[in-house]
Amino acid sequence: MPTNFTVVPVEAQGGERDSAERDAWRQEEEEDNRDRGSGERGEQGGVRHSGDGISRESSPFINSAEMDRGNMYEGKNMALFEEEMDSNPMVSSLLNKLANYTNVTQGVVEHEADEDSKRKEVKVPRMGTFIGVYLPCLQNILGVILFLRLTWIVGTAGVLESFIIVFMCCACTMLTAISMSAIATNGVVPAGGSYYMISRSLGPEFGGAVGLCFYLGTTFAGAMYILGTIEILLTYISPSAAIFKAEEVGEETEAMLNNMRVYGTCIIILMAIVVFVGVKYVNKLALVFLACVILSIIAIYAGVIKTAIDPPDFPICLLGNRTLSKRSFDVCAKFTERNNETKTTNLWLLFCNSSLPTAMCDDYFSLNNVTEIQGIPGILSGVLIDNLWSTYSEKGSIVEKKNQPSVSGSEDIKIAGRPYVFTDIMTYFTVLVGIYFPSVTGIMAGSNRSGDLKDAQKSIPTGTILAISTTSFIYLSCIVLFGACIEGVVLRDKFGEAVNGNLVVGTLAWPSPWVIVIGSFFSTCGAGLQSLTGAPRLLQAIARDGIVPFIQVFGHGKANGEPTWALLLTAAICEIGILIASLDSVAPILSMFFLMCYMFVNLACAVQTLLRTPNWRPRFKYYHWTLSFLGMSLCLALMFICSWYYALIAMLIAGCIYKYIEYRGAEKEWGDGIRGLSLNAARYALLRVEDGPPHTKNWRPQLLVLLNLDCEQLVKHPRLLSFTSQLKAGKGLTIVGSVLQGTYLDKCVETQKAEENVKALMAVEKTKGFCQIVVSPSFRDGISHLIQSAGLGGMKHNTVLMAWPQSWKQTENHFSWKNFVDTVRETTAAQQALLVAKNIDLFPTNQERFTEGNIDVWWIVHDGGMLMLLPFLLRQHKVWRKCKMRIFTVAQMDDNSIQMKKDLQMFLYHLRLNAEVEVVEMFENDISAFTYEKTLMMEQRSQMLKQMQLSKNEREREAQLIHDRNTASRSAPAVKASVAAAMPEKVQMTWTKEKFVAEKHKNKDTNVSGFKDIFNMKPNQSNVRRMHTAVKLNGVVLNKSQHAQLVLLNMPGPPKNRKGDENYMEFLEVLTEGLDRVLLVRGSGREVITIYS
């Protein structure tokens, strides 16, 4: 049952809201006790809450606004649950609402906006199995093919092969009916029938694709019925009504097709008007049309019985073994005796150039005799033996009787002008399957009326399977009876030319051939009207679901909900079938669409059965997944048997619709089987991946992206997601995580908001992955939880991507330097790689394109090859595609730089990477005074902040001043000028004696000796060496890569002694100073790139 859920966020939270609600409820309860039932309690703002203040989903059955307050709290036995009664109603209330539930599709009656107030009582559907399912299925299954083509199929394919054709098609529909019964009895099926079942079982993509195919099949079925109506009218009822006449010999077929097109267009317009004006009359006439079908079938069986007693007189005229058409002559003889005179007949004139006995005649006519045989020899005649085997023929060949003596003459040049019965199409087994299959369609008629049935779960399986059994018996028995009663040449005479233009099956009927002619005429008319009535409603149902955006306009209609626009489109598509004009050409087209629909019904049942989802509990128990799979295979086989190119076209159409819905369609969650199948496949794959770590050849960065959110729960650095999509290009795993500080009960609304914001940004940046927001008392613990637990099984991240904390020196910053350093340590402990993007806001968006430039890799130490792999992955994206890759490595005094370059080039050659190689030599020299001074300032600042309890403002100003001084000492003159301009005029850059005295007076308890130590301290030699390395490397990198689009650097690890964590941040700042875009890379310790194939 389609249900809309709305979750409204709670605006007020905590104990205040709960207590306010409880007070309000107590007041209302007291008023209700005084005057029970005097009013209804309105909900505050439409928000429904449980006792804990958390919003809940509205129930699909319970409308709490209508529930009386007094009835809800009847008695005191439920007091324990009273605070949750809004969202969790009592069972009695639920059952009361369920009892009044009606399975009419939502939104059917558009003009009844105030439907509940106008409708005083619910109309209870009263249709049972016989009227509601059995008879509609009979009417839809028995139709035009039975009367117009079945005798021809029996004559052409023979009784045995015809039996195989019919048995295959009936088995296909029976297996489909079993699957359909299982789906239809698995819960309440609203009015919508087969489309609803397929879409809710296989999902919106399959549902839309198959639903549209089923719609096209129903529409072309309407065209086929209309063509059958015209064929009966112009061939058997009133041949003189034809507008186009054949002027020359051989043009009869073309003239007939043109007549079909003209009459078909007129009937389409007439039927569309009838459906538009009074569709209720079409439904009322359905039983009349069904009566015509049943009477016609009874007449056939009565005629078969009569042939055993008194066969009807329908003589067939043969010339040799060739069948003659009796439309052009009346006497089956070459000569007649009139007044004791021998005269030539009209037949003579058709083969000779004059009426004289000495005239020049056709060679075959002269050598063979004209004979007459009975067209309906009867069931006891033994003609069944002659009709057992097939007689396939080429287009334009003459219908000949087997085992009839014949003398071959010379090649007849004018054979086309002779009064023979010719075949109009080339026949073979697969063609006959395609033409016959539409005669077994219509099994969905019962499920389409599910909204009108008294007990759909009982009626649909019983009525459908009984109807298929009945029609299968009729078809199979008719094949044997036709073969046993009718002469083979008459069976192969498609249009009854050998029996004076009568309908072939009509010649067998009793009491008159007109019973079949009139009955089949009204039957095909009714079937055409039913198709034009049902197809627009099916299209309207698909359009209203909103899964195919471009057909949403067809969901609208008249004020009473009649699908006007859908009717126009249906008539237009039906006109395409009419323009084809040949019933034999249209039948295989609709066979494809119906077979595809049946195939997916079987697939839906098989998938649901194999998945064993808890909701799969059909009342119909006589099904098995093997039967569904067999039915699906049979449908697929019949598609390609009928016509392999039509099958491919139908699959292409369905595939295009599927991809379109997947790309542009609305997001629908219907609990479908394909979603369950995906979950099972994901589970299976995860269990397989869990077996061990991936091979180096399969390694790719599976990213955990750590985002920072502001107070509005918006992402601070959106470019981090841009860089993620450029690095991943949609491949592999991406988990986007963030941490909110607090407790989950207090932050649940903020968590939802943050998740929505992150997902929205991921959609904008085209980052394909998952979002995970963690609430933790501290940021430090939250990040640790993400690193440890993000992902599932083998689908866990192996790389962490984060932004450099720009304001790490401001201790009030949430993501302080301590959190950052601890994150570096934890990724190392977890054996995960770490990528740190510095100056992330300068990184390119996905819309930017670098037309030139370099990606520079500074390979200082080897930690698994991450530095080589990342530029290769980035250059797959169009943002970085035109950038060149350069690799720099550093040579010490003892290294042979020339040999190093050759070795590196060979290594890159084996790695199949194109890059320029350069070896940079770094000579050992003395530590500069600048390095010594910078280290001293760093240690002074660190020691000072530890020993002094500065105020917040003073601490921030001092940190900023030292940072500005460090920056100014290394920046360009322009940068120095801007920094100087930004500084306050009267700011002291270092600790002076005056400032020291002021702080001494302000903090009486401060340890004075500590400050003396600061002024007299000497820098740690280890820190001096590290600063020396950072300064020298920074100079070399700036010299070579200052103008590079991106610089990748080995990220040194944090010190083992945690006391030096803040100094570690200073080293990284100095190392990357002056560079625009930097990606610090720290490998996981395992090899991620290999030279082997």
Side-chain angles (χ1 to χ4, degrees):
M1 186 184 75
T3 308
N4 297 323
F5 293 105
T6 305
V7 180
V8 183
V10 182
E11 295 178 2
Q13 296 184 0
E16 295 179 3
R17 175 63 183 264
D18 291 345
S19 60
E21 283 190 343
R22 283 194 293 272
D23 292 340
W25 285 1
R26 289 195 190 98
Q27 291 175 10
E28 286 186 28
E29 191 168 7
E30 291 171 2
E31 293 173 2
D32 287 341
N33 289 334
R34 287 194 299 268
D35 186 12
R36 180 77 66 170
S38 62
E40 293 181 357
R41 184 180 65 86
E43 291 178 289
Q44 296 183 3
V47 184
R48 304 179 57 200
H49 302 279
S50 62
D52 56 3
I54 300 174
S55 60
R56 300 290 177 90
E57 294 178 338
S58 59
S59 170
F61 300 113
I62 302 303
N63 188 356
S64 60
E66 297 176 358
M67 299 184 68
D68 187 69
R69 181 70 181 172
N71 293 335
M72 188 188 296
Y73 298 143
E74 190 81 41
K76 300 298 181 183
N77 293 331
M78 294 293 113
L80 186 62
F81 301 95
E82 65 183 15
E83 292 187 352
E84 297 182 346
M85 285 287 184
D86 262 349
S87 58
N88 301 337
M90 291 177 63
V91 174
S92 58
S93 303
L94 176 69
L95 295 178
N96 182 45
K97 291 293 182 179
L98 280 174
N100 296 326
Y101 169 69
T102 176
N103 57 349
V104 177
T105 310
Q106 294 180 355
V108 170
V109 188
E110 295 178 344
H111 71 288
E112 294 184 353
D114 196 15
E115 189 176 358
D116 292 334
S117 61
K118 292 181 181 179
R119 184 178 297 151
K120 295 183 180 179
E121 60 180 7
V122 178
K123 184 180 178 182
V124 180
R126 291 294 180 188
M127 294 177 70
T129 302
F130 186 76
I131 298 295
V133 180
Y134 181 73
L135 291 182
C137 285
L138 276 187
Q139 181 189 0
N140 280 267
I141 295 172
L142 300 171
V144 61
I145 301 296
L146 171 64
F147 301 120
L148 296 184
R149 291 292 181 269
L150 190 59
T151 53
W152 172 73
I153 290 172
V154 172
T156 305
V159 173
L160 293 179
E161 291 188 24
S162 300
F163 198 90
I164 293 172
I165 291 173
V166 174
F167 183 79
M168 276 198 311
C169 296
C170 291
C172 175
T173 54
M174 179 61 79
L175 292 170
T176 303
I178 291 172
S179 298
M180 184 189 72
S181 299
I183 298 173
T185 58
N186 186 50
V188 178
V189 178
S194 55
Y195 161 70
Y196 181 90
M197 288 190 297
I198 296 170
S199 60
R200 269 57 177 182
S201 296
L202 292 178
E205 294 87 2
F206 276 109
V210 181
L212 286 177
C213 285
F214 190 54
Y215 163 74
L216 291 174
T218 309
T219 305
F220 275 104
M224 184 188 73
Y225 292 131
I226 292 170
L227 291 174
T229 304
I230 303 164
E231 184 176 310
I232 294 170
L233 175 67
L234 297 181
T235 307
Y236 307 112
I237 297 178
S238 178
S240 59
I243 299 173
F244 297 93
K245 308 285 185 181
E247 297 179 356
E248 297 181 9
V249 176
E251 293 184 354
E252 293 86 354
T253 304
E254 189 61 35
M256 184 64 178
L257 293 179
N258 288 330
N259 286 318
M260 303 274 264
R261 293 183 180 108
V262 173
Y263 275 95
T265 303
C266 297
I267 291 179
I268 280 267
I269 295 171
L270 183 63
M271 285 186 173
I273 292 173
V274 170
V275 172
F276 178 77
V277 173
V279 69
K280 57 184 178 181
Y281 301 113
V282 176
N283 294 327
K284 288 180 179 179
L285 288 172
L287 286 176
V288 177
F289 298 138
L290 177 60
C292 293
V293 176
I294 294 174
L295 286 175
S296 301
I297 293 172
I298 292 173
I300 293 172
Y301 282 108
V304 170
I305 296 171
K306 185 177 179 296
T307 61
I309 305 167
D310 181 21
D313 184 26
F314 280 101
I316 307 299
C317 190
L318 299 177
L319 175 62
N321 65 349
R322 297 179 179 179
T323 311
L324 297 176
S325 171
K326 280 198 171 182
R327 293 180 185 273
S328 306
F329 62 93
D330 50 357
V331 179
C332 183
K334 294 182 180 181
F335 304 99
T336 58
E337 293 289 336
R338 289 183 186 175
N339 300 324
N340 295 325
E341 292 184 11
T342 302
K343 294 185 178 181
T344 57
T345 61
N346 291 335
L347 181 61
W348 178 278
L349 291 175
L350 294 172
F351 285 93
C352 302
N353 59 3
S354 72
S355 60
L356 298 175
T358 58
M360 290 290 296
C361 294
D362 180 85
D363 194 20
Y364 188 85
F365 181 77
S366 302
L367 295 174
N368 290 275
N369 294 324
V370 176
T371 56
E372 209 169 40
I373 62 171
Q374 276 299 323
I376 313 292
I379 194 170
L380 302 177
S381 63
V383 73
L384 178 64
I385 304 300
D386 297 331
N387 292 332
L388 281 178
W389 312 109
S390 61
T391 310
Y392 299 118
S393 57
E394 298 287 331
K395 180 180 180 180
S397 60
I398 301 171
V399 175
E400 298 178 345
K401 177 174 170 54
K402 293 181 284 187
N403 304 324
Q404 182 76 9
S406 172
V407 180
S408 300
S410 60
E411 187 68 26
D412 193 353
I413 299 174
K414 294 183 66 180
I415 191 173
R418 306 305 181 193
Y420 297 124
V421 178
F422 295 99
T423 57
D424 62 335
I425 62 171
M426 186 173 70
T427 54
Y428 42 91
F429 182 81
T430 56
V431 167
L432 299 183
V433 175
I435 293 173
Y436 172 75
F437 187 80
S439 66
V440 296
T441 59
I443 63 173
M444 302 286 189
S447 63
N448 288 341
R449 296 170 180 238
S450 57
D452 302 323
L453 299 174
K454 187 189 302 182
D455 186 358
Q457 297 192 11
K458 178 183 177 183
S459 298
I460 289 176
T462 307
T464 305
I465 293 176
L466 195 60
I468 293 174
S469 302
T470 305
T471 53
S472 299
F473 172 77
I474 291 172
Y475 282 127
L476 292 171
S477 61
C478 281
I479 285 173
V480 177
L481 295 176
F482 290 163
C485 296
I486 306 175
E487 179 60 51
V489 291
V490 179
L491 289 172
R492 292 193 295 278
D493 183 6
K494 185 186 289 186
F495 301 108
E497 296 178 15
V499 286
N500 301 320
N502 281 305
L503 183 62
V504 174
V505 70
T507 61
L508 183 62
W510 181 85
S512 167
W514 286 101
V515 175
I516 300 291
V517 172
I518 300 301
S520 60
F521 178 77
F522 283 111
S523 168
T524 51
C525 276
L529 279 171
Q530 291 285 354
S531 296
L532 283 181
T533 304
R537 279 161 177 72
L538 179 59
L539 182 64
Q540 186 182 44
I542 300 171
R544 283 179 171 175
D545 262 345
I547 58 176
V548 187
F550 70 86
I551 66 166
Q552 286 187 1
V553 65
F554 300 109
H556 307 295
K558 293 194 293 185
N560 61 353
E562 290 297 322
T564 308
W565 293 106
L567 177 62
L568 290 176
L569 180 65
T570 302
I573 297 175
C574 207
E575 177 64 18
I576 296 173
I578 296 298
L579 294 177
I580 295 174
S582 171
L583 189 148
D584 299 324
S585 300
V586 172
I589 296 176
L590 65 102
S591 294
M592 290 302 113
F593 293 122
F594 277 118
L595 278 167
M596 184 168 290
C597 178
Y598 297 164
M599 181 175 71
F600 281 103
V601 169
N602 285 295
L603 175 64
C605 182
V607 166
Q608 297 276 31
T609 307
L610 288 172
L611 289 178
R612 298 176 183 175
T613 51
N615 192 51
W616 180 246
R617 304 185 301 274
R619 289 191 178 275
F620 181 78
K621 300 298 182 184
Y622 305 102
Y623 71 95
H624 195 267
W625 69 268
T626 52
L627 293 178
S628 301
F629 188 78
L630 180 62
M632 183 182 67
S633 304
L634 191 55
C635 288
L636 186 63
L638 283 173
M639 285 179 69
F640 283 92
I641 287 173
C642 293
S643 174
W644 64 269
Y645 47 90
Y646 277 163
L648 292 178
I649 292 172
M651 287 181 170
L652 181 65
I653 292 172
C656 291
I657 297 171
Y658 178 94
K659 295 306 291 184
Y660 176 80
I661 295 173
E662 188 179 51
Y663 179 67
R664 294 289 304 275
E667 290 289 336
K668 298 285 183 182
E669 174 53 65
W670 287 333
D672 52 87
I674 294 298
R675 181 63 58 89
L677 189 64
S678 301
L679 290 173
N680 263 26
R683 170 183 165 275
Y684 175 77
L686 282 173
L687 291 174
R688 291 291 303 273
V689 172
E690 187 88 27
D691 290 341
H695 191 273
T696 303
K697 291 186 289 186
N698 296 327
W699 194 94
R700 66 168 60 246
Q702 316 282 17
L703 292 182
L704 169 61
V705 184
L706 299 178
L707 293 180
N708 255 344
L709 303 178
D710 59 18
C711 57
E712 298 293 328
Q713 315 306 331
L714 297 175
V715 179
K716 285 186 179 180
H717 303 294
R719 299 286 179 93
L720 199 59
L721 285 181
S722 303
F723 183 71
T724 302
S725 61
Q726 294 161 21
L727 185 63
K728 301 292 293 181
K731 303 294 189 298
L733 174 71
T734 301
I735 301 173
V736 180
S738 188
V739 177
L740 298 181
Q741 191 167 5
T743 60
Y744 185 71
L745 286 177
D746 297 334
K747 294 284 186 178
C748 59
V749 176
E750 286 88 339
T751 304
Q752 293 177 2
K753 182 180 178 183
E755 190 168 343
E756 290 172 3
N757 293 338
V758 172
K759 285 182 176 179
L761 184 61
M762 289 173 68
V764 171
E765 299 294 344
K766 297 180 180 180
T767 304
K768 297 180 181 179
F770 308 98
C771 175
Q772 188 168 351
I773 306 296
V774 172
V775 180
S776 177
S778 69
F779 282 94
R780 165 76 183 77
D781 292 340
I783 295 296
S784 179
H785 294 158
L786 277 175
I787 292 174
Q788 292 179 65
S789 61
L792 179 65
M795 287 297 285
K796 290 183 67 70
H797 60 278
N798 54 28
T799 305
V800 177
L801 172 62
M802 59 194 299
W804 173 263
Q806 296 288 354
S807 54
W808 64 271
K809 294 185 180 181
Q810 299 176 8
T811 54
E812 293 301 320
N813 181 40
H814 287 308
F815 199 83
S816 65
W817 55 270
K818 289 184 178 179
N819 290 341
F820 177 82
V821 178
D822 285 338
T823 303
V824 176
R825 286 196 173 97
E826 288 197 350
T827 55
T828 303
Q831 295 183 341
Q832 296 172 4
L834 176 65
L835 308 179
V836 179
K838 192 175 180 190
N839 301 327
I840 185 63
D841 295 328
L842 299 179
F843 276 59
T845 63
N846 289 327
Q847 287 70 40
E848 294 181 42
R849 301 288 182 271
F850 287 134
T851 56
E852 57 181 4
N854 300 311
I855 299 177
D856 286 356
V857 177
W858 284 85
W859 191 18
I860 312 300
V861 294
H862 179 65
D863 54 1
M866 278 280 287
L867 282 169
M868 310 293 181
L869 190 60
L870 292 176
F872 170 77
L873 295 175
L874 280 175
R875 292 182 68 239
Q876 308 300 310
H877 197 274
K878 46 195 171 184
V879 172
W880 304 91
R881 189 164 294 156
K882 295 187 178 180
C883 292
K884 294 180 180 179
M885 179 177 168
R886 297 193 302 180
I887 295 183
F888 297 90
T889 188
V890 176
Q892 300 298 327
M893 285 293 294
D894 301 335
D895 296 327
N896 186 341
S897 57
I898 298 175
Q899 188 61 40
M900 277 182 67
K901 185 173 182 179
K902 290 180 180 179
D903 293 342
L904 183 54
Q905 287 173 337
M906 181 59 66
F907 181 59
L908 291 177
Y909 174 78
H910 287 307
L911 289 176
R912 289 92 63 201
L913 295 176
N914 296 320
E916 295 180 16
V917 175
E918 186 169 343
V919 177
V920 179
E921 296 179 344
M922 286 183 62
F923 299 107
E924 294 183 3
N925 53 7
D926 294 335
I927 297 174
S928 63
F930 170 78
T931 303
Y932 194 87
E933 181 187 359
K934 199 170 186 66
T935 310
L936 180 60
M937 289 171 57
M938 175 187 74
E939 294 189 352
Q940 281 181 346
R941 174 185 176 279
S942 178
Q943 189 69 18
M944 204 179 304
L945 292 178
K946 288 178 182 177
Q947 293 189 5
M948 285 189 60
Q949 298 296 325
L950 297 177
S951 67
K952 177 181 176 183
N953 294 334
E954 196 69 21
R955 186 164 60 246
E956 287 181 359
R957 186 202 303 175
E958 187 63 19
Q960 187 63 40
L961 291 179
I962 296 177
H963 175 262
D964 292 343
R965 180 177 176 184
N966 293 345
T967 305
S969 65
R970 295 285 294 168
S971 300
V975 178
K976 290 180 180 179
S978 63
V979 172
M983 288 181 182
E985 293 180 0
K986 297 182 179 180
V987 170
Q988 299 176 5
M989 292 298 296
T990 57
W991 283 91
T992 59
K993 186 175 291 187
E994 292 83 359
K995 189 170 183 180
F996 175 69
V997 172
E999 289 296 334
K1000 183 177 179 180
H1001 288 298
K1002 216 173 8 174
N1003 300 291
K1004 300 290 185 181
D1005 299 329
T1006 303
N1007 189 355
V1008 181
S1009 62
F1011 291 105
K1012 292 181 179 178
D1013 292 340
I1014 292 174
F1015 290 118
N1016 299 325
M1017 68 183 295
K1018 293 182 180 180
N1020 183 280
Q1021 291 301 313
S1022 176
N1023 288 340
V1024 172
R1025 287 188 290 106
R1026 286 189 173 89
M1027 183 65 75
H1028 177 65
T1029 303
V1031 170
K1032 287 209 65 177
L1033 268 178
N1034 178 254
V1036 172
V1037 173
L1038 276 178
N1039 184 37
K1040 297 287 185 181
S1041 303
Q1042 189 168 12
H1043 302 292
Q1045 304 291 8
L1046 179 64
V1047 177
L1048 283 80
L1049 273 168
N1050 277 117
M1051 182 178 181
K1056 294 181 180 180
N1057 183 4
R1058 291 177 178 268
K1059 295 180 180 179
D1061 285 355
E1062 191 174 5
N1063 298 337
Y1064 171 68
M1065 298 296 290
E1066 286 280 5
F1067 297 145
L1068 294 181
E1069 280 280 12
V1070 172
L1071 181 63
T1072 58
E1073 196 173 357
L1075 298 172
D1076 289 338
R1077 304 181 192 93
V1078 183
L1079 187 65
L1080 295 171
V1081 180
R1082 183 164 175 77
S1084 61
R1086 63 162 293 171
E1087 292 293 331
V1088 301
I1089 193 167
T1090 179
I1091 64 175
Y1092 300 105
S1093 61

